[in-house]
Amino acid sequence: MALKLEKTPMRELDPQERRHHFKEVALGYTLEEAIQEAKRCIQCKKPMCVTGCPVNVQIPQFINALAQGDVEEALKIIKETNNLPAVCGRVCPQEEQCEKKCVLGRKGDSVAIGRLERFAADYFMDREEPAERPASPNGKRVAIVGGGPAGLTAAADLAKLGYDVTVFEAFHELGGVLVYGIPEFRLPKAVVKKEVEKLKDLGVTFRTNVVVGKTILIDELFEYGYEAVFVGSGAGLPKFMNIPGENLNGVYSANEYLTRINLMKAYDFPQSHTPVKKGRKVFVVGGGNVAMDAARSALRLGADEVHIVYRRSEQEMPARLEEVHHAREEGIIFDVLTNPVEIIGEEGWVKGIKCIRMELGQPDSSGRRRPIPVPGSEFIMEADIVIMAIGTSPNPLIKNSTPGLETTSWGGIVVDEETGATSKEGVYAGGDAVTGAATVILAMGAGKRAAKAIHEKLSNQ
Ligand code: FAD
Ligand code: SF4
């Protein structure tokens, strides 16, 4: 039988309809579509896709189970290494990871590994899933700082090994960026909640509204009997450009803007308690996933015109191609090779944005061509909201409240790459708190490595 070169397409909401609401854009596979796609996998003897996955999901095995219609077995195989498959199936940059290594990608489309992973997890969203059984308790306590993908993964792996695990989370909800950053139209919050609930079944204790470094210190956690601490506190401190006008009303960091909308449900104000300004002409500065999410959210809040302002060309944009494509389909305007130099105000509010044209020079240390301002090319556009999505760094609270914890010049926690061990005895770290803003699956991989190292250390004591 001839090999099908194209991926089985996934249904999506119509761009003209979906730009007015927050419902999920990508609709997932049906069972028939999943089986059809799974049958494209040729079950390589040396499956490179597995090496492309930071948590080494046994991809050919789960796809084989799916090809035979055994969804339960497929999910069981995925969950051996990945506790958040419905999340990863939706937001992992598969095209840069497992799917990039799939041999079918050489002649046509790689197998849609992410879509299949999502299908297997979604299939059991409303069905009874075979429960994962926690190991018998070993009497040892581990504290986790932060309930994002890194912390939740470390917690799950340690709970499965019999540890008494407590997750301390600063917000009132668990999930980290999955709940406060990535919008509903890409990752429904009900999906995150469901996957988090499954961790509760493993016996993990969750303490929300606890800011470690303020409410309780890491040193105090040891005094309370925790034998190891994993820090997965993310990189939630936004960067700004330091240009005139950034303190005007109507200028947001993408983190604040998205947190207001996603976590605090500002789109529903005054039914919810948190407002957000609904702009007419919105400018989002940056070219990553965060910028696309902020722009598409602004559109859904009713903006007439939403621009992405990016200083390099579209080729250098770090956002996933799929996100750029979706944003463009919905009508987002891309002002590339453009950089803001001033935000213009009137009576304290944003009234415009002054930009300069850019051209690309020689590659810089990141390997991308350096953007250079074109002299005399400044111009002004009318604006009432400007959203800065140019990156984040770790919040210094943990560093400042934990003597002996070594950090880099930009605030990342210094760790041993293999184990996640920090310079402070018994303290491990991973995810964005170590790497700076990265990806969900890299954070999960770090959580897994640290859980393994904590287990090795505590079981030898
Ligand atoms: P986080 O998810 O940031 O979680 C850290 C948690 O720790 C938070 O809940 C925080 O409240 C808590 N915390 C912080 N300090 C303390 C403290 N002192 N005490 C207690 N708790 C604390 N990645 C992808 O792979 N695909 C995408 O499509 C994608 N899109 C993104 C879109 C947006 C808008 C953003 C912001 C990020 C996106 N990312 C994406 C990146 C990804 O979400 C992060 O890399 C990932 O969430 C990092 O996980 P983490 O557990 O290290 O940190
Ligand atoms: Fe299947 Fe592609 Fe992985 Fe080979 S590389 S096992 S074809 S998904």
Side-chain angles (χ1 to χ4, degrees), residues 41-44 47-49 59-60 63 101-104 111 113:
C41 174
I42 55 171
Q43 295 291 315
C44 309
M48 295 313 291
C49 48
I59 294 166
I63 292 184
K101 302 244 174 148
C102 171
V103 290
L104 298 198
V111 174
I113 301 168

Side-chain angles (χ1 to χ4, degrees), residues 15 29 63 96 103 119 136 152 189 193 198 215 222 226 250 255 307 316 324 343 360 362 372 385 393 431 442:
Y29 280 156
I63 292 184
E96 291 299 323
V103 290
F119 168 78
S136 34
L152 293 178
K189 301 310 146 218
K193 209 169 184 155
K198 287 177 186 158
T215 326
F222 287 108
Y226 292 98
N255 260 41
H307 294 241
E316 285 85 20
V324 175
I343 301 165
L360 294 179
Q362 293 303 313
I372 304 166
I385 290 194
S393 58
L442 287 173

Side-chain angles (χ1 to χ4, degrees), residues 140-427:
K140 293 177 193 276
R141 299 172 77 200
V142 179
I144 309 283
V145 181
L152 293 178
T153 303
D157 280 14
L158 286 163
K160 284 189 209 165
L161 290 164
Y163 290 88
D164 176 356
V165 182
T166 309
V167 175
F168 296 92
E169 165 56 46
F171 278 138
H172 58 280
E173 280 199 33
L174 294 156
V177 170
L178 308 180
V179 288
Y180 78 74
I182 305 180
E184 182 79 15
F185 55 82
R186 277 213 296 131
L187 179 60
K189 301 310 146 218
V191 168
V192 182
K193 209 169 184 155
K194 200 90 186 210
E195 297 216 316
V196 171
E197 285 299 319
K198 287 177 186 158
L199 298 184
K200 286 189 187 154
D201 297 343
L202 287 173
V204 177
T205 306
F206 292 105
R207 301 271 310 275
T208 50
N209 297 313
V210 178
V211 182
V212 176
K214 283 256 186 240
T215 326
I216 191 166
L217 303 177
I218 286 186
D219 283 336
E220 288 173 336
L221 289 171
F222 287 108
E223 287 166 23
Y224 286 128
Y226 292 98
E227 293 178 54
V229 176
F230 172 78
V231 182
S233 49
L237 191 71
K239 291 183 187 158
F240 284 90
M241 292 185 74
N242 293 323
I243 56 174
E246 262 182 321
N247 56 356
L248 286 164
N249 291 314
V251 179
Y252 289 94
S253 71
N255 260 41
E256 181 192 339
Y257 188 72
L258 290 169
T259 304
R260 279 175 183 266
I261 297 169
N262 293 322
L263 188 68
M264 308 311 294
K265 311 202 181 325
Y267 54 82
D268 213 12
F269 182 79
Q271 270 70 36
S272 70
H273 296 298
T274 306
V276 69
K277 184 170 161 57
K278 294 183 180 171
R280 220 169 36 79
K281 287 200 170 190
V282 179
F283 286 77
V284 181
V285 184
N289 287 327
V290 182
M292 300 304 141
D293 284 346
R296 296 171 71 198
S297 296
L299 197 70
R300 283 160 171 79
L301 285 181
D304 296 338
E305 216 177 282
V306 183
H307 294 241
I308 290 275
V309 180
Y310 182 57
R311 61 192 182 141
R312 291 184 159 98
S313 76
E314 197 169 318
Q315 233 181 330
E316 285 85 20
M317 269 192 181
R320 292 181 73 186
L321 277 181
E322 187 186 343
E323 301 311 325
V324 175
H325 170 70
H326 278 152
R328 203 184 281 289
E329 269 187 339
E330 289 167 11
I332 305 289
I333 301 160
F334 285 74
D335 298 324
V336 292
L337 290 169
T338 304
N339 206 25
V341 287
E342 184 182 346
I343 301 165
I344 296 161
E346 199 180 282
E347 294 173 3
W349 288 90
V350 173
K351 275 284 163 259
I353 181 166
K354 187 187 214 180
C355 295
I356 189 163
R357 300 267 180 233
M358 309 292 279
E359 59 189 9
L360 294 179
Q362 293 303 313
D364 61 16
S365 56
S366 72
R368 295 176 301 172
R369 292 176 65 194
R370 185 191 298 274
I372 304 166
V374 178
S377 66
E378 290 90 345
F379 61 102
I380 294 174
M381 291 181 279
E382 194 194 328
D384 50 8
I385 290 194
V386 176
I387 301 168
M388 292 294 172
I390 53 168
T392 54
S393 58
N395 189 307
L397 181 62
I398 296 278
K399 172 188 96 173
N400 293 344
S401 60
T402 314
L405 190 69
E406 197 188 327
T407 55
T408 62
S409 56
W410 48 268
I413 302 175
V414 176
V415 297
D416 175 288
E417 244 182 69
E418 278 291 298
T419 62
T422 68
S423 55
K424 192 172 170 80
E425 181 65 23
V427 179

